[in-house]
Amino acid sequence: MAVGNNNQIEKRLWDAADEMRANSKLKSSEYSIPVLGLIFLRYADQKFAVAQKELEGKGTGRRQVGKSDYQAKGVLYLPEAARFQKLLQKPEGANIGQAINDAMRAIEGENPDLKDVLPKTFNRLENSSLVELLKIMASIPMDIEGDAFGKIYEYFLGKFAMAEGQKGGEFFTPTAIVKLIVEILEPFHGRIFDPACGSGGMFVQSARFVETHKKNPSAEISIYGQERVAETVKLCKMNLAVHGLAGDIRQGNTYYEDLHNSPGKFDFFLANPPFNVDRVDKDRLKDDPRFPFGLPKVDNANYLWIQIFYSALSKNGRAGFVMANSAADARASELEIRKKLIQDRSVDVMVAVGPNMFYTVTLPCMLWFLDKGKKGTERQEKVLFLDARHIYRQIDRAHRDFTPEQIEFLANIVRLYRGEKPENQHGSAKMMAEKFPEKKYVDVPGLCKVATIKEIEAQGWSLNPGRYVGVAEGEADDFDFKERLQELNEELETLNVEARQLEEVISINTIQILES
């Protein structure tokens, strides 16, 4: 079956699994881990079955085919008790939950890299539910090609994240946002790090980027991750395994623990950290080398994350990350840190993204791109600002995303700015011809603008694309009232955040003056 049919497979599987949940007493959060575990089991079984067929008749009288032969093919070794068909053939009345738990333990026993990773809580589900789930997973065709199981796993992750709302946003970044970061960053080769890695979407899309450019991800990139929640670490490791990837993923709180000794170590850095986190104990960070521009005085962790990303980069490293809109215009101590970052000539591209792209917040966000390798190049004194707030696809009433064509179009603008050749794997040529008919970078009002460091200084060191890009000709007379009202509301929210920060600074200063 061609990969192009996978969208129908994913949707059919999800509809069946979701209908089953709706008729049970289970919450989405209780249901997601076992279901993802069964997708993993089905994937492992399919790979094992293919390898088994290839190895048939290869044994000799003195040497039988064994575990090492499967591992040599990059396949997890499955003992008999963990085979999918064995579970399917269990008699009526058998304890299916216990049988699947035993299967997961058996896989971990034969494959030490998965130790303590696979779910073993199937006893919490009713026997009848598990029988139905096994049948649903068994309906995945055995002849699907390419990264089909990876895409099914990813599809389910996204659906569970949407169903779980706020909690879902903690482990899953919408795929369209991740793809845009990856396409702009171009992680062709080297060490990749995400210290807020969630379920590992940044790694999966980086590997897919390498693969679509005709290279072997396992040979080109090394994966390093850190994640605070133990359960999410397991989701990430299963996600990597289902995509045929491996990585060094560790559990730890990134504010206080740098488990990969990150400063200066990584070629690429991708992340979607939590926004506007307060109550980080900065006394514990005083001597930490990850904060070379100093600690922000406000109770907000945005500029802690930005410095963690900056400091982890190697000499020519690139970073791409999601950040709250307010960080681009933040005042006081945060402005001083941003000024040092800009004066270091490391800020390369800023992208404004419109609202409703995330499951957890409706507010718009900003994508920041740092490039330590731009020093000494033509881009040293410049920053590219892109306003992508008007580029999106409405997927339902409350959610938007980017089409592959739109992602390629935005990434191609960055490629022109860098002097690289634009790509046309997803049909963006028409959009490119309309805005860049000479196939060279030009400023386009309402879409993109290259500003110099002096221009940025004149704007009070703001990194908000809205301050530089302007509006498209005719746009002012042809606006959508609801959309404009939403934008104004978003701007008001940004100003309110700044006002609260300034209020806090004034309060601290007043106390210091009175106590001196």
Side-chain angles (χ1 to χ4, degrees):
M1 185 170 289
V3 176
N5 291 331
N6 285 347
N7 285 344
Q8 286 123 43
I9 298 173
E10 292 152 9
K11 187 173 183 314
R12 177 173 57 76
L13 289 170
W14 171 260
D15 287 347
D18 196 45
E19 184 183 341
M20 208 207 78
R21 186 201 61 77
N23 292 320
S24 74
K25 296 173 185 172
L26 294 169
K27 295 176 191 169
S28 180
S29 55
E30 296 169 325
Y31 189 59
S32 56
I33 300 291
V35 170
L36 291 167
L38 285 178
I39 294 174
F40 171 84
L41 187 62
R42 183 77 167 96
Y43 155 82
D45 188 75
Q46 192 249 14
K47 300 287 270 187
F48 185 84
V50 171
Q52 191 176 39
K53 202 170 181 183
E54 291 170 0
L55 291 168
E56 255 176 18
K58 297 284 174 70
T60 64
R62 294 177 60 188
R63 184 183 176 281
Q64 296 299 309
V65 170
K67 181 174 163 182
S68 60
D69 297 289
Y70 288 90
Q71 289 173 334
K73 287 181 170 291
V75 172
L76 294 172
Y77 182 75
L78 299 194
E80 195 65 17
R83 296 302 306 274
F84 206 85
Q85 284 300 324
K86 286 281 180 190
L87 295 171
L88 268 179
Q89 291 164 359
K90 289 284 177 193
E92 194 175 338
N95 188 337
I96 304 296
Q98 189 58 49
I100 302 176
N101 286 344
D102 291 342
M104 294 293 183
R105 284 194 188 91
I107 295 174
E108 288 185 347
E110 296 289 350
N111 303 277
D113 286 351
L114 291 173
K115 187 173 185 306
D116 298 330
V117 169
L118 302 181
K120 292 174 277 293
T121 54
F122 291 89
N123 270 337
R124 293 181 191 170
L125 275 70
E126 290 177 9
N127 237 25
S128 57
S129 299
L130 286 169
V131 169
E132 285 305 310
L133 272 177
L134 284 172
K135 286 179 182 171
I136 291 168
M137 296 306 161
S139 72
I140 300 174
M142 287 298 278
D143 58 347
I144 51 178
E145 297 169 357
D147 186 23
F149 277 96
K151 286 178 180 170
I152 293 169
Y153 189 92
E154 198 175 298
Y155 186 87
F156 271 62
L157 264 181
K159 287 288 188 182
F160 281 127
M162 198 181 283
E164 291 184 32
Q166 183 72 31
K167 186 173 181 299
E170 291 177 5
F171 65 78
F172 186 80
T173 305
T175 304
I177 293 285
V178 181
K179 282 184 174 174
L180 180 58
I181 292 174
V182 168
E183 286 290 326
I184 290 177
L185 211 57
E186 298 184 318
F188 278 108
H189 176 85
R191 292 167 170 242
I192 296 179
F193 184 37
D194 181 351
C197 67
S199 53
M202 298 287 181
F203 304 134
V204 168
Q205 294 304 330
S206 295
R208 199 165 281 156
F209 174 85
V210 172
E211 204 168 16
T212 56
H213 289 81
K214 314 297 180 197
K215 298 276 181 68
N216 176 4
S218 298
E220 299 294 332
I221 57 175
S222 305
I223 291 169
Y224 299 85
Q226 188 166 318
E227 166 58 43
R228 182 176 58 86
V229 182
E231 202 65 29
T232 309
V233 170
K234 295 177 183 178
L235 276 182
C236 180
K237 289 184 175 181
M238 270 201 295
N239 196 8
L240 291 179
V242 167
H243 284 86
L245 301 169
D248 185 352
I249 312 297
R250 303 183 188 184
Q251 186 198 350
N253 185 329
T254 298
Y255 296 123
Y256 310 118
E257 299 167 282
D258 182 16
L259 300 177
H260 291 289
N261 190 23
S262 65
K265 187 173 176 181
F266 294 98
D267 304 297
F268 297 99
F269 196 108
L270 305 90
N272 174 22
F275 293 175
N276 301 319
V277 173
D278 58 8
R279 299 182 186 180
V280 176
D281 183 359
K282 282 180 276 190
D283 284 342
R284 295 172 63 181
L285 310 178
K286 279 179 182 170
D287 300 318
D288 195 319
R290 295 178 297 164
F291 308 105
F293 301 135
L295 299 174
K297 290 179 181 170
V298 293
D299 190 12
N300 185 314
N302 289 343
Y303 275 82
L304 295 178
W305 284 110
I306 291 171
Q307 291 193 78
I308 288 171
F309 305 155
Y310 167 84
S311 63
L313 294 178
S314 61
K315 188 182 170 189
N316 294 310
R318 286 181 180 175
F321 52 90
V322 188
M323 187 46 64
N325 255 6
S326 56
D329 283 305
R331 313 296 298 173
S333 62
E334 293 177 312
L335 185 150
E336 288 306 311
I337 295 171
R338 187 171 67 250
K339 179 179 165 184
K340 289 174 186 171
L341 195 64
I342 296 167
Q343 288 175 329
D344 185 68
R345 273 58 179 173
S346 292
V347 180
D348 193 32
V349 181
M350 298 292 297
V351 182
V353 175
N356 298 324
M357 286 281 183
F358 289 82
Y359 304 141
T360 49
V361 290
T362 57
L363 288 174
C365 69
M366 206 81 79
L367 306 183
W368 291 50
F369 294 89
L370 310 180
D371 184 355
K372 283 193 176 176
K374 69 185 279 188
K375 291 169 194 165
T377 71
E378 283 187 4
R379 292 181 285 121
Q380 174 169 299
E381 298 298 318
K382 302 172 185 173
V383 174
L384 170 63
F385 291 93
L386 259 171
D387 189 346
R389 288 178 297 172
H390 302 288
I391 299 174
Y392 59 84
R393 169 175 62 183
Q394 196 76 36
I395 51 177
D396 59 37
R397 191 182 59 79
H399 299 102
R400 298 173 175 176
D401 71 358
F402 295 121
T403 65
E405 178 189 17
Q406 289 166 342
I407 291 170
E408 187 174 75
F409 171 66
L410 292 167
N412 275 342
I413 297 173
V414 179
R415 291 187 178 106
L416 289 181
Y417 157 71
R418 288 179 182 148
E420 298 170 3
K421 190 178 173 186
E423 297 188 355
N424 189 32
Q425 294 185 35
H426 299 290
S428 65
K430 188 178 174 187
M431 293 177 78
M432 291 300 291
E434 186 184 325
K435 299 294 185 186
F436 305 95
E438 301 297 325
K439 298 182 179 177
K440 290 182 181 174
Y441 176 83
V442 289
D443 291 339
V444 178
L447 176 63
C448 57
K449 158 84 179 174
V450 171
T452 63
I453 302 290
K454 282 188 178 176
E455 287 174 295
I456 295 170
E457 182 179 4
Q459 288 288 344
W461 303 103
S462 168
L463 286 176
N464 186 339
R467 295 214 186 192
Y468 304 93
V469 173
V471 293
E473 196 175 339
E475 195 173 277
D477 296 326
D478 187 26
F479 70 92
D480 181 291
F481 175 75
K482 283 186 179 176
E483 192 173 306
R484 183 60 56 87
L485 184 63
Q486 193 169 22
E487 285 175 9
L488 289 171
N489 190 47
E490 289 154 8
E491 190 174 347
L492 177 64
E493 177 64 25
T494 302
L495 292 170
N496 283 337
V497 170
E498 282 184 26
R500 287 194 289 272
Q501 291 174 344
L502 284 171
E503 196 178 315
E504 192 176 335
V505 171
I506 291 168
S507 172
I508 292 169
N509 289 345
T510 303
I511 291 169
Q512 286 176 343
I513 291 169
L514 291 174
E515 289 178 349
S516 63

